[in-house]
Amino acid sequence: MGTAILYEVVARVFFDPRHVPPLSDTLPEAVGLLGDPVFWTATWRTLLAAGTGVGIAAVAGIGLGFGIGSVPRLLRVVSSTLDFLRPIPSIVLIPALVFLLDITQITVLLVAVSCFWIVVFQVLYGVRDVDPVAMETARCFRMGRLARTVHVTWPTVLPYLGTALRLVVSVALALALTGGLVMGAAGLGELIWRSQEAGDVTGMYALVLLTGGLGVGLDLLARLAERRLLHWHVATRPEAAR
Amino acid sequence: MSGRGRTALRGLAALGAALGLPLALLALWWVASEDSTHVYLPPLRDILEAFGRVWFSETFVGDVVPSLRRLGIGLGIAFVLGVTGGYLLGRSPLLRGLASPALAYARALPPPVIIPVLLVAVGIGETTKIVVIALGALWPILLNTCDGVRDVDEVARETAAAYRLTGWTRRRLVLRAASPRVFAGLRQALGLAIILMVVSEMLMSTDGLGFTIVQFQRSFALPEMWSGVLLLGVLGFVLAKLLELVERHALRWHRGMTGRQESST
Amino acid sequence: MSPAAPSRSRPRHLRRRLVAATTALLLGGVLVACGDDASSTDEAGPDEDGLTTITLASAPLGHLAPIHLAQEHGIFAEHGLNVEVDTENSELTSVPSVLADRVDFATGDLTTLIVARSKGLDVKAVVPASASTGVPGEDYGALVVDGDSGITRPSQLEGRTVSVNILTNIAAAAAREAVAADGGDPEAVELVELPFPQVPAAISTGRVDGAWVVEPFLSAAQAEGAVPIGWGFTDLAEDLTVSSWYTSGTFAEQNPETVEAFRDAVREAYAYARDNEDEVREIIPTFTDISPEVAESITITGWRDEVSRAAAEKLVGYALRDGLITEEPDLDELILP
């Protein structure tokens, strides 16, 4: 609520309503959109692309992260390649990708690649943070590699993954929108693009408002999920009381 | 001599390990693309030839230097804001509850949506690009710091109470304990910031690495475009290595305290 | 795996490819995974009701109105065509989509097509998609400045910032030529990229000194106090083809009748659009988000039947001058006779 008031003040004081319309103009428009099936179809498509991408990224990122992270020698060989590939923006690869995949798939791929990097780096850092004393202890107890991963590494990495989860949901949404904005992929991004192309500023901001709301909703879900996953963890204990 | 020689050898071995796979992949790419007639996927030979032609010229100074400056300033701002904000949010559940929706809202908006607003607010100069980089790179640092502080805070609070530590000493204790998380965030932010540097230079630019790559793409100068992509990769690799050195230096105490071995990542 | 059904279903082992491509990308071998993928056989044959299905890349842009009119009035069917409109497209993807055979026809501005041809991309211009009205003062694109800026002619923009939507396309050529035609030095103008939708705000807040802009943003900018000081299109050529429908060389070679039928249908649609401007204005809000009020008042694009060879030659000259290309493309290869 406070944010809303702040936005309203900033919008009215600093901006021409023709460029950044105040909430009082965008809200009715946004409410109108909520009754429009086109909006819901687009939302569903965007969420589907984002969700599929996150799924791929989670599987690949967690698998690779643990695989590479638990073998120091492998990590030394692979990490330079990861650093080399990380900064390449998927957006410049789009024209080449058109020869392989259709626009919907490219959007999923954009999401998956961006999220994959987040997951894999969080896992790698988490694995590195494992307490060597605990690891030695596990070895003394003659635990196998798998058991050590499950009982020692996994609990250490989980908090890192919790952070990754919250980073990933917003990145996935932003990237799914970008697919619509730069490639016309069907979804909310495409609706925003259409309203931009038509010079419909109020309509565009109404969409942005709802998109941001969607982001807040997803973040809430992610935080709930994190709490379920980490209920044993010290950081979330005070939270659970709230 | 022997000590120094061994260090040099170890350095060489590390370098070999670091460069081995990329070189192998490049060789594979070279062979696979040798007789490619695909206009969007030119042979690596052409790309490397373009690389020499394009980047070993005044373009490097004219485009890469401004880009690196934007990147540095943007990332610096993100780091300061991220650590400060993350610390405050990590300390206060109330603040977290209040700020979370607004932060989630801001995180969900992609740069193409934010840029038009910034255009009206701050214009088309350097500021907009730096703001875009800082805004995007902020989140991994902020969230990681916040979670890291949250993790250690309770323990630290009890410790500090037991030892009657107050104020700055305690703050330092908490931040130090959270620093592995801060660096995880910084590492994420670095990769993101390079991408955002390119994205922010796609609009309203007259120079920069991202600008140049996009111009190549738009005028179908595809070998040149791929050479720019290669350069981005090299840049990312070099910067990540630098960050690693800083981190190793900063976290020495951490490894020492917890008995971790020197592991190079 | 693929969330929404792809817009066209050619048998393409999608799942396997997506997995392969994902793996390839993640392992950094995006290039290794794919050889020359442009499928070489794309015979568009008639289906059971005697119509040949073609796919057009379309965007929510006003100048495509005749295509929608032709759909509504069955003009394509008269020419034996069943047209599918693929809206999942943008200028970023349109050339590769045509070359990769995902769509049969797309639109691109003539300068971009000239640059593509010069770089060896096999594109063929079939029929104009939009053209200058040919009347200075009444065109759908103009060079504008803020009314209070004190700038009254294009040559005064020397040493100032002027925005165009893309630096390597016809808008940049038009902006430069408007300055040159007024006796100014286009080299002395600093061009920056700015999407058309952002132009009205950028001009009225003084973020740029001038902008080359098209409808509906030309009207929007004027409503915010911008004034046109030059036209650009008419400076480039008398009968300028701004953008053109194009296809790939392979498609044109394999389906000459289909390309011919498409061209005839589009020309018929243009004749209809020229005679029924009110219908054009009515249909624009149905496939774009432009409001009926705005559609009523904007300047409508010109439509011509022939891609102007003379104009294309001039554009080649400008592209050489502005350093977009280093070798002249063969216009006989670019423009389908």
Side-chain angles (χ1 to χ4, degrees), chain B residues 25 28-29 32-33 36-42 44 47 112 115-124 201-206 211 214-222 224 226, chain C residues 27-32 34-38 91-92 95-96 99 112-113 115-117 119-121 161 165-168 190-195 198-199 201-202 205 207-208 324:
Chain B
L25 286 173
L28 186 66
W29 180 3
S33 68
S36 163
T37 52
H38 200 300
V39 69
Y40 277 89
L41 303 171
L44 184 57
I47 296 173
I115 289 173
V117 183
L118 287 177
L119 160 82
V120 180
V122 274
I124 63 171
E201 286 174 352
M202 286 180 176
L203 273 187
M204 303 171 300
S205 255
T206 49
F211 169 81
V214 173
Q215 293 313 317
F216 283 146
Q217 185 180 51
R218 292 208 165 130
S219 54
F220 306 102
L222 299 159
E224 288 82 355
W226 284 110
Chain C
L27 299 178
V30 62
L31 301 148
V32 180
C34 33
D36 194 328
D37 193 69
E91 50 90 14
L92 180 67
V95 172
L99 293 179
T112 298
L113 294 178
V115 174
R117 192 79 232 181
K119 295 278 200 279
L121 280 73
T161 317
N165 69 328
I166 288 173
L167 286 172
T168 56
E190 181 156 42
L191 290 186
V192 292
E193 272 191 17
L194 184 68
Q198 267 80 66
V199 166
T205 53
R207 299 301 180 191
V208 289
L324 293 182

Side-chain angles (χ1 to χ4, degrees), chain A residues 15-87:
Chain A
F15 294 104
D16 183 322
R18 284 175 309 202
H19 307 154
V20 180
L23 267 185
S24 39
D25 289 354
T26 36
L27 263 180
E29 187 102 12
V31 172
L33 277 172
L34 287 176
D36 186 353
V38 172
F39 169 78
W40 291 108
T41 315
T43 306
W44 169 239
R45 283 194 157 157
T46 300
L47 286 177
L48 201 59
T52 317
V54 169
I56 297 171
V59 172
I62 293 173
L64 270 174
F66 272 97
I68 299 167
S70 3
V71 187
R73 195 166 299 163
L74 188 61
L75 180 62
R76 274 201 288 277
V77 170
V78 175
S79 72
S80 59
T81 309
L82 292 182
D83 288 329
F84 189 90
L85 293 175
R86 171 80 171 99

Side-chain angles (χ1 to χ4, degrees), chain B residues 65-77 130 133 189-197 201 235 239:
Chain B
V65 172
S67 286
L68 284 175
R69 194 184 54 238
R70 288 165 197 150
L71 182 74
I73 300 174
L75 202 55
I77 293 172
I130 289 168
I133 296 169
L190 175 67
L192 213 58
I194 297 177
I195 291 178
L196 287 163
M197 172 189 94
E201 286 174 352
L235 200 70
L239 291 173

